[in-house]
Amino acid sequence: MPPSLENNQLLNTILDRRSIRHFSDREIPDDVFNAILEAGRVAPSTVNLQTWALATFTDQTWKELFDQSIPFNGNRAVIVPGDTHRGKKVMGFFSHRPLVEYTLAVINASLAAMNRLLRQRH
Ligand SMILES: Cc1cc2nc3c(=O)[nH]c(=O)nc-3n(C[C@H](O)[C@H](O)[C@H](O)COP(=O)(O)O)c2cc1C
């Protein structure tokens, strides 16, 4: 790490990120959860089409749909499906490129999801 970046908060947050496989029992307040959702909404996307949808869950609503608890002891969950319809607006540019609306949707939704995954270690 170059000395000039040692105290770079953003870089350190990215380098320290790890997949969590057991979440604590601490509740996520609504305003905090909404701030996390907003972090995804401002992610970059193709022509700013924001080709994603959002499905948010509590443990209760997750159980109603999937008949099991949120994995890894989570108490909130977000599914970010790619929205292939919005991408059709720019299909004129890519008319001979099959699957491009799917690719755009998945890339954009993934970037939005990634923005929500970053957090500082305690
Ligand atoms: C698209 C995708 C799907 C993943 N699916 C799972 C999964 O089903 N179960 C799991 O424990 N981890 C899953 N992971 C996490 C990876 O296993 C993890 O990112 C990888 O082992 C590197 O570890 P790290 O994220 O802690 O650096 C997934 C990651 C991505 C990007």
Side-chain angles (χ1 to χ4, degrees), residues 17-19 21 72:
R17 183 212 55 80
R18 291 294 178 275
S19 296
R21 297 205 172 81
F72 307 126

Side-chain angles (χ1 to χ4, degrees), residues 35-90:
I36 292 168
L37 295 181
E38 178 67 1
R41 192 192 65 77
V42 299
S45 64
T46 312
V47 206
N48 200 22
L49 284 172
Q50 304 187 16
T51 54
W52 51 67
L54 268 187
T56 63
F57 298 88
T58 60
D59 198 44
Q60 178 64 33
T61 57
W62 184 276
K63 269 186 191 143
E64 284 164 17
L65 192 60
F66 297 111
D67 208 22
Q68 58 179 279
S69 291
I70 294 173
F72 307 126
N73 196 45
N75 61 49
R76 303 258 197 164
V78 183
I79 295 180
V80 191
D83 178 341
T84 55
H85 293 281
R86 280 184 219 178
K88 291 187 194 305
K89 285 183 189 163
V90 295

